[in-house]
Amino acid sequence: MNSKFLKFYALLFFIPFLIFSCKKATDTPQSQKSDSYLWEDQTTIYLPETAEWTNRVEVTDLNKDGMIDLIFANGGNYSEAGELESSRVFLNQGPERQFLEITDRVFGEAKFYARVIKARDLNKDGYLDLVIGNTFQTQSELYFGTEEGGFIRKTSTNLPAILASISDLEFGDVDNDGDLDIILADWGPGSNMENNGGRTMLWLNDGNGKFEDATASQMPDILIQFSWDLEFIDFDNDFDLDIAISCKRCGTSRLFVNDGTGKFEDKYLLPAYTNNYEFEAIDINQDGYLDLVTVNDGEIVGQVSWSRREHIFLNDSAKGFIDATAQLWQDPDNIGEDDNNVAFLDFDSDGDPDFILSSLTGEDRLLVNDGLGKFQLRQKVLSGKDTPHTLSLVFADINNDHKMDLVMGQGEGEKDIEERIFIGKAIPEDRAKPIISHFELLESEQEIFEVRARIHDNKSPSIPEDWESVYLKVNMDTIAMQWYGEYLWRAQFKNVGEENNIEICASDAAGNQACLKIQ
């Protein structure tokens, strides 16, 4: 008997215009300065001294004690190698207590040109593993977490032996075999500002955390000139992972579309702009499709070459992306600086995604969503001294008070590059329910059902610590759903009768719950 595919696409829980109509009107003009700080600088309370060139920050619970720990991916310079640096690791000791540094325990005396470090369980043993993406034609690294809380270097046995310049990497199951694979952005050899670029790589997981390079057979043969960032994005809502790849030196960024088996094809579906530093994907206008915010690929402001506006690309129901910047992010709010990355959160707990831009030259600034995807600038939102060299900025609840705090990595300067922690003070506790935007129910010949769904909390990226539980309720049984990339989750169960009562439920870390009955 042929397989049956039963697909159900649920509308969002709410209709955008109803949300908008419920919001309070505001008389606040665009770009108005704010005298109230939303986040308070408490770096001196939480962090020991840091002064490395930090490219990215990873937040995760390394020791499973229910608190967010920190990893700083360190190593410069911009277009030529600087000195090798220690990538530093810190364990959370609780509210208003200084983090404990365990760098030596994790990495020993090893130093890197680390552009990115990501943490996930790659060998399915229940412990977090670390992958370090290294630049300037050096070997990237893999460390397996152990039951005792330590880490074992597994690079030589479990990673492809490739010298590369890895600017970013992401985990996700591209070939639907139940384990997390890795995509990697490569600058290529030589100067990233002058060379021909590098090919985006795919390393497939064998299920035990050993990776094979599948780039030659499964990735487009295209050189990307100085990519800073790549992201998994299921742009067409078919529940496999496509890839958005930023490019600084190209005429356009790229979208690689997955055929469902982990083989990717280049598609010309993005508006063409050069100098894109980063993508970040979320459903801005709440239509069930993921949109994109870009960084530094807009028009030059004030004839200053490094000061550029950003863009909003709206997903046109999987037909492509539309540049909606002029309508949704007007010039008084899109002011232009040398910006570096975007992080989404629902800072006011009103059910829509807002975001912060990190900047190398100006203030790290907040853009507030009006509920329909139009953004208004709010600044200054961070207390304390200026943050002039922000290369990475992430949100996490450092002190477990159900308010998002902010961790910042700084670099690309000779001074004032210490990392920073800002605690959410003048923001409300998280009261917004998670969003289950759409789902798919599949039945195989063996009467095994699989449910896939996009579930998010208007925050990017989605990390395990954002969630209390994500699960299926099937009749009287509860089945945990597994994250497999982007905001996508899945679970399988065996058919137990003529009819099944099936419900998807998600509870975020603050205890807000959403459920959707699908059968």
Side-chain angles (χ1 to χ4, degrees):
M1 184 174 71
N2 291 330
S3 298
K4 294 182 291 183
F5 296 90
L6 308 175
K7 295 189 178 182
F8 300 86
Y9 292 93
L11 294 175
L12 297 175
F13 290 131
F14 35 78
I15 301 172
F17 77 84
L18 289 178
I19 291 180
F20 182 68
S21 67
C22 292
K23 290 178 177 288
K24 294 181 179 179
T26 177
D27 295 323
T28 305
Q30 288 184 336
S31 307
Q32 179 174 324
K33 296 272 184 178
S34 172
D35 293 329
S36 62
Y37 299 120
L38 300 178
W39 287 274
E40 181 179 298
D41 188 347
Q42 294 193 359
T43 305
T44 57
I45 295 174
Y46 283 97
L47 272 185
E49 182 179 350
T50 60
E52 293 79 22
W53 178 308
T54 298
N55 292 296
R56 273 189 178 84
V57 181
E58 176 76 329
V59 291
T60 188
D61 184 1
L62 282 171
N63 56 355
K64 295 187 174 183
D65 64 354
M67 295 187 290
I68 291 289
D69 307 311
L70 307 177
I71 306 173
F72 296 107
N74 296 334
N77 291 335
Y78 185 78
S79 57
E80 60 183 16
E83 293 185 8
L84 294 164
E85 290 191 302
S86 298
S87 288
R88 300 177 68 177
V89 187
F90 297 91
L91 292 182
N92 196 330
Q93 302 297 293
E96 299 187 2
R97 296 182 62 188
Q98 190 173 85
F99 279 71
L100 173 67
E101 183 163 12
I102 60 165
T103 301
D104 291 344
R105 192 191 312 174
V106 177
F107 296 129
E109 296 182 358
K111 296 184 178 182
F112 314 107
Y113 296 123
R115 182 76 181 185
V116 56
I117 301 177
K118 292 288 178 72
R120 287 279 179 173
D121 181 8
L122 301 175
N123 57 358
K124 297 188 286 189
D125 65 353
Y127 305 103
L128 286 175
D129 310 307
L130 304 177
V131 176
I132 306 170
N134 286 323
T135 53
F136 300 112
Q137 296 305 108
T138 54
Q139 171 71 52
S140 291
E141 303 276 359
L142 172 64
Y143 287 77
F144 277 178
T146 69
E147 184 177 3
E148 296 77 24
F151 288 86
I152 300 174
R153 186 174 181 269
K154 300 290 288 185
T155 303
S156 62
T157 57
N158 287 51
L159 282 191
I162 296 174
L163 301 182
S165 295
I166 302 303
S167 60
D168 193 22
L169 62 90
E170 293 288 345
F171 301 132
D173 185 2
V174 303
D175 50 4
N176 196 33
D177 65 351
D179 52 47
L180 296 177
D181 310 302
I182 309 176
I183 52 169
L184 307 98
D186 180 19
W187 291 344
S191 169
N192 44 35
M193 293 293 288
E194 298 174 358
N195 66 8
N196 293 323
R199 189 171 177 181
T200 306
M201 291 192 286
L202 170 63
W203 295 352
L204 294 180
N205 192 338
D206 71 351
N208 298 306
K210 185 174 182 179
F211 293 88
E212 177 184 356
D213 182 17
T215 305
S217 60
Q218 295 187 222
M219 298 296 286
D221 189 6
I222 296 172
L223 296 181
I224 307 293
Q225 294 174 285
F226 201 0
S227 175
W228 282 53
D229 176 73
L230 79 179
E231 301 289 341
F232 278 125
I233 171 174
D234 177 19
F235 96 99
D236 48 8
N237 284 1
D238 65 355
F239 294 97
D240 59 38
L241 294 168
D242 312 305
I243 308 171
I245 307 157
S246 77
C247 187
K248 177 175 172 60
R249 303 289 290 173
C250 311
T252 183
S253 295
R254 298 283 181 172
L255 184 70
F256 291 172
V257 178
N258 193 338
D259 70 356
T261 69
K263 188 171 184 178
F264 292 87
E265 180 182 357
D266 181 40
K267 295 283 189 179
Y268 295 96
L269 300 174
L270 293 170
Y273 295 100
T274 190
N275 207 58
N276 183 16
Y277 283 19
E278 190 190 50
F279 286 120
E280 199 68 17
I282 209 154
D283 186 2
I284 287 172
N285 58 357
Q286 303 174 56
D287 66 350
Y289 289 90
L290 291 184
D291 311 302
L292 292 165
V293 170
T294 69
V295 174
N296 239 334
D297 61 341
E299 66 184 92
I300 294 173
V301 179
Q303 298 182 326
V304 179
S305 61
W306 45 258
S307 181
R308 289 177 177 263
R309 304 193 199 277
E310 342 289 355
H311 283 111
I312 291 175
F313 297 161
L314 286 187
N315 191 330
D316 185 18
S317 303
K319 295 187 291 291
F321 288 87
I322 299 170
D323 182 358
T325 311
Q327 295 76 38
L328 299 180
W329 193 1
Q330 296 175 359
D331 286 355
D333 300 298
N334 190 2
I335 60 177
E337 290 285 354
D338 189 355
D339 299 324
N340 288 291
N341 80 307
V342 179
F344 281 101
L345 83 161
D346 182 5
F347 90 97
D348 47 7
S349 200
D350 65 351
D352 57 47
D354 314 296
F355 65 87
I356 276 189
L357 275 169
S358 75
S359 182
L360 193 69
T361 57
E363 292 182 8
D364 303 307
R365 55 200 187 275
L366 175 67
L367 280 302
V368 182
N369 193 330
D370 71 351
L372 295 176
K374 187 174 182 179
F375 291 91
Q376 179 179 346
L377 177 65
R378 178 171 176 177
Q379 59 182 161
K380 180 176 180 182
V381 297
L382 306 178
S383 79
K385 64 179 182 178
D386 292 340
T387 56
H389 297 289
T390 311
L391 294 182
S392 180
L393 183 152
V394 297
F395 289 105
D397 187 0
I398 296 294
N399 56 358
N400 288 351
D401 64 353
H402 301 157
K403 297 180 181 182
M404 280 295 157
D405 309 308
L406 191 155
V407 185
M408 180 186 298
Q410 297 194 107
E412 205 170 322
E414 295 181 359
K415 61 180 182 178
D416 297 325
I417 57 171
E418 69 273 13
E419 278 48 86
R420 307 282 283 277
I421 289 180
F422 294 83
I423 299 298
K425 290 294 186 180
I427 61 175
E429 290 187 21
D430 181 10
R431 301 184 305 270
K433 293 182 178 181
I435 295 172
I436 307 170
S437 70
H438 64 292
F439 68 92
E440 176 182 63
L441 174 63
L442 304 175
E443 182 187 359
S444 72
E445 293 180 353
Q446 293 77 31
E447 294 189 329
I448 300 295
F449 285 90
E450 181 169 81
V451 175
R452 304 178 189 178
R454 177 177 290 135
I455 303 168
H456 65 88
D457 209 24
N458 280 322
K459 174 185 174 291
S460 70
S462 179
I463 62 173
E465 291 73 26
D466 293 335
W467 301 99
E468 186 177 89
S469 59
V470 180
Y471 59 94
L472 285 181
K473 291 168 65 176
V474 182
N475 301 324
M476 301 299 292
D477 295 329
T478 298
I479 303 165
M481 298 188 75
Q482 303 299 317
W483 176 86
Y484 67 98
E486 193 225 86
Y487 309 106
L488 298 179
W489 299 75
R490 64 187 173 200
Q492 292 184 339
F493 63 95
K494 189 171 180 61
N495 188 13
V496 294
E498 291 293 326
E499 294 186 5
N500 292 303
N501 294 311
I502 308 172
E503 195 171 19
I504 303 171
C505 290
S507 295
D508 65 24
N512 303 299
Q513 185 181 74
C515 289
L516 176 66
K517 185 174 176 60
I518 66 174
Q519 183 170 301

